[in-house]
Amino acid sequence: TDSDTADEAVRATCDDATICKRFATSKSYWKDPYIQYFVRSVGERKAPEINRGYYARVQGVNHLLDAFIRKTECDCQVINLGAGLDTTFWRLKDENLMPRKFFEVDFPTVVARKIHYIKTKPPLSKPLLETHSTDSLLLDAHSLDSDRYCIIGADLRDISNLDEKLKKFQLNPELPTLLLSECVLVYMTPSQSSNVVHWAAETFHTAMFINYEQLNMNDRFGQVMIENLQRRQCILAGVEACQSLESQKERFLKTGWEHADALDMMTVYSMLPQEDVGRIERLEFLDEKELLQQLLQHYSICWATKDKLNLGLSQLAF
Ligand code: SAM
C-alpha cells in the first residue's frame, strides 16, 4: 500500500543520517569509532556545508544530553526515539557517562538490522556484555535487552504498544529521564508527535525532551527540502510543527511540559565551543558561507523539561 511505501522510505532515512555522519567522522569533524560497524564504507564525498551541518547537529544534541546526564550524576535513563543506527550508547560508555539504562526504539525492521550488527561485531557487543550481570542477553528478532542497553522494535505512532514494551523492559517512571528524537517527529502528523510528547510528560515527573528537526519549512528553501524528500516518496507529515521556533516550543508547552526552549542551528553553531568550531572550519574550505547559513537556519533544537525533583533541569542550555 501507499502507506507501506511511505514507511519504508522513512525507515531508509536512518541510512542517510549514518552515511553522512560516517563521512564527516572520516574527515575528523568529530570522533566516532563505532559508526564504521553500521556502515562499512565511507561512501561518496559530501559537501562541506553538509558536514558542518551534521557537526552542529551532533555537538548540539550531545551538549544537552551530556549536561542532563551530568546533572543527574548518571542516575537516570535515556530513551532514544527513532534511534536508527545511532552510536550514542557506546560513546557514553567510553566517556563514563552511562545512564542506568539506555533505551532505543525504532521500527522493528530497523531494530532487527541493528541487532544483527550488534551480535556480529564484538566492539559493539562487548560493552553490552561487560555491563551485564549474566552470561546471556534477552534476545528475540525485534528486541534485545541487557542491564544497561535495550533496543525495542515499535511504531512510535502506537503509544499504548510503546508504553507496554518499555515497561516490559524495566523502564522506571520514577527515574529522571531524557527523551531524544533526532529527525524523527517530522515524519509523523502533528497529532501523532503531540501524542508522543504528551505521553512522555504524563509518564515521567522529572524529565527532559530534546528534539532536533527541520525549521522554517514554509519558505522557499524549506519547500525545496520537502520536495527533495518527496521525490524519494518520503513524506514529512509533521512540517506544520516545524514552521517556527514558537510552534516547536508550543508542542511541548501544550502537552504538560513546564519549560521549553528552542534555537535554530545557526545560533547553536555560534554558541558551540569556538575553538573546536575553528578547528573544523579549517578541515575543508567552504566557498559559500551563505549556503551553510541557510542550511543551519532550517534546522532547530527544541528542549523541554519538567522537574518535580528540583534538579535544576530548566537551567540546562547552551
Ligand atoms: N535518530 C537517528 C539519527 O539521527 O541518526 C535516525 C534518524 S532517521 C532520519 C529517522 C528514524 O526515525 C528512522 O530510523 C526511522 O525508522 C525512525 N522512525 C520514523 N518514524 C517512526 C515511527 N513511527 N516509529 C518508529 N521509528 C520511526
Side-chain angles (χ1 to χ4, degrees), residues 10 13-14 21 57 82-84 106-107 154-157 182-184:
V10 169
T13 62
C14 75
K21 288 175 182 178
R57 163 172 169 176
D106 208 297
F107 282 119
D155 188 330
L156 299 169
R157 295 167 298 190
E182 191 181 321
C183 279
V184 174

Side-chain angles (χ1 to χ4, degrees), residues 78-301:
V78 174
I79 309 174
N80 190 348
L81 301 167
L85 303 174
D86 187 80
T87 56
T88 302
F89 168 77
W90 290 270
R91 176 181 72 82
L92 294 176
K93 161 105 181 21
D94 284 349
E95 294 183 359
N96 275 320
L97 277 176
M98 212 179 19
R100 279 230 231 148
K101 193 156 180 176
F102 192 102
F103 294 88
E104 295 188 328
V105 182
D106 208 297
F107 282 119
T109 51
V110 174
V111 164
R113 266 181 69 198
K114 194 165 188 176
I115 291 176
H116 172 76
Y117 296 136
I118 294 171
K119 278 202 303 196
T120 54
K121 319 272 174 173
L124 298 177
S125 54
K126 220 172 128 245
L128 265 63
L129 293 163
E130 274 171 15
T131 54
H132 192 63
S133 51
T134 67
D135 283 342
S136 61
L137 304 179
L138 192 58
L139 187 75
D140 64 38
H142 303 297
S143 62
L144 180 162
D145 187 40
S146 71
D147 288 357
R148 309 297 284 273
Y149 174 85
C150 173
I151 178 165
I152 302 170
D155 188 330
L156 299 169
R157 295 167 298 190
D158 181 350
I159 294 292
S160 57
N161 180 254
L162 173 71
D163 187 73
E164 188 187 307
K165 286 195 168 147
L166 284 166
K167 288 192 174 132
K168 180 176 148 202
F169 291 110
Q170 283 82 47
L171 178 85
N172 179 358
E174 297 305 314
L175 216 52
T177 300
L178 186 285
L179 299 114
L180 170 65
S181 56
E182 191 181 321
C183 279
V184 174
L185 299 186
V186 72
Y187 299 108
M188 294 175 225
T189 66
S191 84
Q192 287 164 341
S193 68
S194 281
N195 284 344
V196 172
V197 165
H198 183 215
W199 161 80
E202 260 189 338
T203 304
F204 306 102
H205 55 68
T206 303
M208 178 169 179
F209 201 123
I210 304 172
N211 179 44
Y212 174 93
E213 69 183 350
Q214 285 83 345
L215 176 73
N216 294 328
M217 296 309 274
N218 44 346
D219 69 11
R220 184 70 209 117
F221 192 91
Q223 289 305 313
V224 173
M225 288 167 66
I226 294 172
E227 282 158 23
N228 283 339
L229 279 158
Q230 273 170 351
R231 210 164 301 133
R232 303 166 45 197
Q233 328 280 291
C234 203
I235 296 156
L236 296 183
V239 279
E240 261 173 71
C242 307
Q243 304 298 29
S244 67
L245 294 173
E246 281 314 307
S247 58
Q248 286 282 359
K249 284 190 272 187
E250 233 169 65
R251 173 160 52 195
F252 290 92
L253 295 173
K254 275 186 175 162
T255 52
W257 292 82
E258 290 162 6
H259 179 272
D261 253 312
L263 293 173
D264 73 67
M265 292 309 290
M266 190 63 216
T267 308
V268 170
Y269 189 71
S270 73
M271 293 169 106
L272 290 173
Q274 290 302 297
E275 203 180 308
D276 200 49
V277 171
R279 177 190 65 81
I280 67 114
E281 290 189 340
R282 289 188 295 274
L283 291 175
E284 291 183 285
F285 179 69
L286 178 65
D287 205 4
E288 290 239 30
K289 286 265 156 53
E290 272 140 59
L291 201 56
L292 175 69
Q293 269 197 2
Q294 255 188 333
L295 192 70
L296 292 178
Q297 279 161 359
H298 285 81
Y299 286 93
S300 68
I301 294 189

